[in-house]
């Protein structure tokens, strides 16, 4: 097949099948046309254009309530949530510290504590990883799985001394921050009583910079960067006595608080129902002391607060004091808020955001999850005008268009962190005041079929954001229906943020609002514009088009 015939055949395929492919369920519909240039397929004309790209200020705030901490849906429809704890400081973005606040509820209304005279033995908080499977909860960091086994001859099982085997498996959690080079992996975790009512109907309680007051310290402990599972079995018949799923257990020292605030309120209005209880015991806050360690993720829905206690039990005239436990409900309808604190004064990221120029763009672009800065990219109107001229005069067909943006080669790179280097393309319209208008989504058809996740290309050090359909629609003056009226498609900006889109078990996206932004620990610096147009790694729109002979 001759070169010209190949080109003609490719253009005919595009004309005949283009609209069908654009709206099917392919994972990347905006890449239409690129397959025509693989191997010995027809070669088109490639031309590059400058792109306006500038830093976007999120004011260190993001919606981080339960509705935004969703990472996806499991096969049975259960919601998977993710929270973040810890703190990390570096010289480009500054300090970022993550805490977590949650309500808790009694297991049932008017809980009777099984009998009379209940007294607290101990209280334990269990923090679990995002999914309770080893394969995707730990990151080895050059370490290996540690397994400790031991035996105990006088372990009490139903009050009887029993010989048991104890197996403890320990894994390092997946961390982002200072985790190598002899840096201590230990952080002090504090658990406080919350004294601010967490009103889930009040939008001010849904943001990461909400001021939540605390009261008594319920307990503290050292987290050494590891999570463990525990299995206890009888030596006699290998039957399981106890199983502790993967997690970190923190024993709370302030048992007096739980005695006076919970057990001593037996039969009182405070424990009458959930509405009374969450206004009486408003919740707990989990935080860290440090400002320069690391961030790690956990599962809010799998948090456990367990109160062990004894009570009077009388049978056949004999009174005993058996031990039982109360498991507070920290998931479901409870309010959850990720609280994020920043200290960015004088950092390159803060300076770049403050001096951001939305007209001509910025030379360095800073992207950070959890409410840090985002980046706006916009194809210039004059670029669209030039492409329209080529389209009209040369009868050209646009076969490929992508925004190429490079990772900044001279800026910070934290080699000791778990860097996913993923970001989502939230193609929303920016209002005149610079806020995001979620009611006016740009390029909705692209989003609905999966456009949005881009992985760092380690070999070439750049990302290619495919916008073929977007550019074709603008150049060919396509229409969109808004409110039942056909209107010209508008050249709208792309809002680029850290994270990706949440999906269900089959990969179907949960909607443009459901992203991992609220708990994405990553940050990245990209190369933006070059005022002199001499830097080959400046951000550019790369367009390939073919013409009929």
């Amino acid at each position: 097949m001759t070169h010209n015939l190949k080109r003609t055949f490719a253009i005919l395929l595009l004309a005949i099948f283009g609209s069908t492919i654009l709206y099917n369920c392919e994972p990347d519909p905006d890449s239409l046309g690129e397959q025509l240039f693989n191997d010995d397929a027809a070669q088109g004309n490639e031309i590059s254009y400058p792109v306006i790209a500038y830093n976007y200020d999120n004011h260190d705030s993001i919606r981080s309530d339960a509705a935004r901490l969703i990472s996806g849906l499991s096969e049975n429809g259960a919601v998977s949530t993710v929270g973040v704890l810890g703190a990390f400081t570096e010289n480009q973005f500054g300090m970022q510290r993550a805490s977590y606040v949650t309500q808790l509820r009694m297991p049932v209304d008017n809980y009777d504590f099984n009998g009379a005279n209940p007294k607290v033995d101990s209280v334990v908080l269990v923090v679990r990883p995002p999914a309770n499977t080893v394969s995707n909860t730990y990151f080895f960091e050059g370490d290996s799985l540690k397994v400790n086994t031991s035996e105990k001859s006088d372990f009490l099982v139903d009050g009887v001394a029993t010989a048991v085997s104890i197996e403890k498996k320990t894994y390092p959690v997946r961390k982002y921050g200072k985790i190598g080079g002899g840096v201590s992996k230990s952080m002090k975790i504090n658990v406080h009583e919350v004294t601010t009512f967490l009103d889930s109907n009040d939008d001010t309680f849904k943001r990461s910079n909400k001021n939540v007051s605390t009261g008594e310290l319920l307990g503290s402990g050292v987290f050494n960067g590891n999570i463990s599972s525990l299995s206890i079995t009888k030596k006699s018949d290998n039957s399981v006595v106890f199983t502790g799923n993967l997690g970190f257990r923190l024993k709370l020292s302030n048992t007096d608080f739980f005695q006076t605030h919970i057990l001593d309120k037996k039969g009182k209005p405070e424990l009458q129902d959930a509405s009374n209880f969450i206004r009486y015991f408003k919740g707990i806050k989990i935080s860290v002391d440090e400002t320069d360690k690391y961030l790690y993720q956990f599962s809010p829905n799998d948090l456990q607060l367990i109160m062990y206690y004894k009570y009077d039990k009388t049978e056949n005239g004999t009174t005993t004091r058996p031990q039982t436990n109360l498991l507070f409900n920290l998931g479901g309808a409870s309010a959850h808020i990720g609280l994020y604190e920043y200290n960015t004064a004088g950092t390159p990221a803060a300076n770049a955001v403050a001096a951001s120029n939305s007209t001509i763009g910025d030379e360095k672009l800073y992207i950070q999850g959890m409410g840090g800065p985002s980046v706006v990219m916009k194809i210039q109107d004059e670029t669209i005008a030039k492409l329209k001229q080529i389209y009209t005069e040369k009868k050209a067909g646009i076969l490929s268009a992508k925004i190429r943006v490079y990772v900044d080669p001279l800026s910070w790179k934290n080699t000791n962190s778990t860097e996913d280097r993923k970001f989502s393309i939230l193609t929303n319209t920016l209002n005149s005041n610079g806020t995001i208008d979620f009611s006016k989504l740009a390029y909705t058809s692209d989003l609905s079929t999966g456009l949005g996740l881009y992985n760092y290309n380690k070999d070439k050090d750049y990302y290619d954001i495919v916008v073929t359909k977007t550019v074709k629609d603008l150049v060919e003056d396509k229409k969109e229906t808004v409110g039942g009226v056909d209107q010209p498609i508008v050249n709208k900006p792309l809002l680029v943020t850290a994270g990706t889109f949440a999906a269900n078990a089959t990969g179907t996206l949960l909607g443009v609002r459901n992203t991992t932004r609220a708990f994405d620990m990553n940050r990245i610096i990209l190369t933006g514009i070059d005022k002199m147009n001499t830097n080959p790694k400046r951000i550019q729109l790369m367009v390939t088009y073919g013409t009929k002979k």
Side-chain angles (χ1 to χ4, degrees):
M1 185 180 291
T2 66
H3 178 75
N4 288 337
L5 184 55
K6 286 181 181 178
R7 176 180 298 167
T8 302
F9 180 68
I11 294 172
L12 286 173
L13 280 177
L14 181 64
I16 295 171
F17 299 111
S19 59
T20 302
I21 299 174
L22 283 174
Y23 293 97
N24 71 6
C25 294
E26 292 297 320
D28 195 358
D30 231 353
S31 62
L32 177 64
E34 290 187 345
Q35 71 275 14
L36 303 178
F37 298 96
N38 293 333
D39 300 326
D40 64 341
Q43 299 298 311
N45 303 287
E46 184 174 273
I47 189 168
S48 62
Y49 298 92
V51 174
I52 298 172
Y54 59 92
N55 293 288
Y56 182 83
D57 191 358
N58 290 306
H59 303 287
D60 294 336
S61 176
I62 192 170
R63 185 172 165 183
S64 57
D65 61 320
R68 291 295 178 270
L69 298 177
I70 297 175
S71 61
L73 298 179
S74 64
E75 291 183 0
N76 62 5
V79 176
S80 300
T81 59
V82 176
V84 182
L85 286 175
F88 178 35
T89 300
E90 38 77 22
N91 58 10
Q92 292 292 324
F93 289 84
M95 190 276 291
Q96 182 183 48
R97 179 159 54 185
S99 305
Y100 187 76
V101 167
T102 181
Q103 288 176 330
L104 62 161
R105 300 164 188 253
M106 298 290 288
V108 296
D109 295 342
N110 283 320
Y111 194 80
D112 67 1
F113 301 100
N114 299 95
N117 196 27
K119 298 295 180 183
V120 176
D121 279 342
S122 62
V123 183
V124 176
L125 176 71
V126 184
V127 182
R128 302 199 186 283
N132 200 24
T133 55
V134 172
S135 61
N136 57 5
T137 56
Y138 68 87
F139 181 71
F140 274 123
E141 305 156 12
D143 297 333
S144 59
L145 163 67
K146 295 179 176 63
V147 180
N148 293 320
T149 59
S150 60
E151 296 184 356
K152 191 173 178 66
S153 61
D154 57 351
F155 188 87
L156 293 180
V157 179
D158 296 328
V160 179
T162 305
V164 297
S165 296
I166 303 172
E167 182 182 71
K168 183 179 181 180
K169 294 181 178 180
T170 302
Y171 309 85
V173 296
R174 200 163 181 263
K175 307 177 183 71
Y176 191 101
K178 291 181 171 63
I179 58 176
V183 176
S184 171
K185 298 180 177 66
S186 296
M187 285 193 295
K188 183 180 179 182
I189 294 182
N190 301 311
V191 182
H192 283 86
E193 168 203 14
V194 168
T195 57
T196 301
F197 174 59
L198 306 177
D199 187 354
S200 58
N201 295 316
D202 185 346
D203 285 346
T204 64
F205 281 89
K206 298 178 180 179
R207 301 203 68 83
S208 61
N209 59 345
K210 175 65 181 178
N211 184 22
V212 176
S213 300
T214 57
E216 290 193 45
L217 176 66
L218 304 181
S220 299
V222 175
F223 176 62
N224 64 4
N226 298 318
I227 50 179
S228 302
S229 63
L230 187 67
S231 177
I232 303 176
T233 58
K234 289 183 182 180
K235 293 282 290 180
S236 59
D237 59 6
N238 289 325
S239 61
V240 177
V241 175
F242 175 81
T243 299
N245 291 333
L246 205 59
F248 164 64
R249 297 172 66 89
L250 173 62
K251 188 174 182 179
L252 303 184
S253 58
N254 193 349
T255 55
D256 288 344
F257 176 92
F258 289 90
Q259 182 67 46
T260 59
H261 285 71
I262 305 297
L263 292 177
D264 291 351
K265 295 296 181 179
K266 177 181 178 180
K268 301 291 180 63
E270 289 90 337
L271 308 188
Q272 181 177 352
D273 55 38
S275 178
N276 283 4
F277 186 76
I278 61 175
R279 285 167 173 79
Y280 163 63
F281 188 1
K282 299 177 177 63
I284 59 172
K285 179 180 180 181
I286 310 172
S287 62
V288 300
D289 271 356
E290 288 80 4
T291 59
D292 192 13
K293 287 288 186 173
Y294 54 85
L295 303 168
Y296 77 97
Q297 295 177 334
F298 69 98
S299 174
N301 281 348
D302 291 326
L303 278 174
Q304 287 184 311
L305 185 65
I306 309 168
M307 181 177 69
Y308 298 91
Y309 66 96
K310 290 186 175 73
Y311 63 97
D312 288 345
K313 181 179 180 179
T314 302
E315 289 182 339
N316 301 322
T318 302
T319 300
T320 58
R321 300 269 304 162
Q323 186 189 69
T324 187
N325 66 75
L326 184 155
L327 182 62
F328 292 94
N329 183 1
L330 278 71
S334 296
H336 310 287
I337 309 171
L339 298 180
Y340 309 142
E341 175 188 356
Y342 290 84
N343 184 356
T344 62
T347 62
N351 293 339
V353 169
S356 180
N357 190 320
S358 61
T359 302
I360 64 173
D362 301 333
E363 294 184 346
K364 284 190 179 181
L365 307 173
Y366 295 82
I367 299 175
Q368 183 181 24
M370 299 164 56
S374 301
V375 164
V376 175
M377 299 178 183
K378 187 175 187 297
I379 300 169
Q380 295 183 355
D381 291 335
E382 51 264 42
T383 296
I384 300 300
K386 291 176 182 177
L387 290 172
K388 283 184 177 181
Q389 185 177 3
I390 295 174
Y391 172 72
T392 301
E393 294 180 354
K394 297 185 178 182
K395 307 298 182 184
I398 294 175
L399 302 176
S400 172
K402 51 196 172 188
I403 296 174
R404 178 165 294 177
V405 57
Y406 286 83
V407 178
D408 184 73
L410 302 179
S411 299
W412 165 81
K413 176 175 174 57
N414 183 35
T415 56
N416 292 322
S417 291
T418 307
E419 295 183 271
D420 288 337
R421 291 186 180 269
K422 297 176 181 177
F423 57 86
S424 56
I425 309 302
L426 301 187
T427 52
N428 305 110
T429 301
L430 296 182
N431 289 321
S432 57
N433 60 3
T435 60
I436 306 170
D437 183 359
F438 282 104
S439 68
K440 298 178 181 177
L441 304 180
Y443 322 132
T444 304
S445 62
D446 298 338
L447 282 174
S448 64
T449 47
L451 178 65
L453 174 60
Y454 290 88
N455 293 301
Y456 174 57
N457 186 324
K458 293 183 178 180
D459 295 329
K460 299 180 180 179
D461 295 336
Y462 63 75
Y463 296 89
D464 274 341
I465 303 170
V466 180
V467 289
T468 307
K469 180 183 181 299
T470 296
V471 173
K472 280 176 61 64
D473 287 350
L474 290 170
V475 170
E476 297 173 11
D477 291 323
K478 294 291 180 65
K479 306 288 185 180
E480 62 179 348
T481 302
V482 180
V485 179
D486 288 342
Q487 298 179 359
I489 291 179
V490 179
N491 183 18
K492 300 175 183 178
L494 298 167
L495 180 65
V496 182
T497 66
T500 185
F501 291 100
N504 63 18
T506 63
T508 302
L509 301 183
L510 301 181
V512 69
R513 292 177 182 270
N514 293 300
T515 74
T516 64
R517 286 184 61 199
F519 51 88
D520 190 283
M521 303 179 294
N522 289 291
R523 60 202 71 184
I524 187 170
I525 305 172
L526 304 172
T527 300
I529 68 161
D530 175 29
K531 296 176 182 178
M532 303 302 294
N533 287 332
T534 58
N535 182 3
K537 293 190 175 182
R538 65 188 181 276
I539 186 170
Q540 297 178 78
L541 173 68
M542 319 287 290
V543 177
T544 303
Y545 66 91
T547 57
K548 293 182 179 180
K549 293 295 185 179

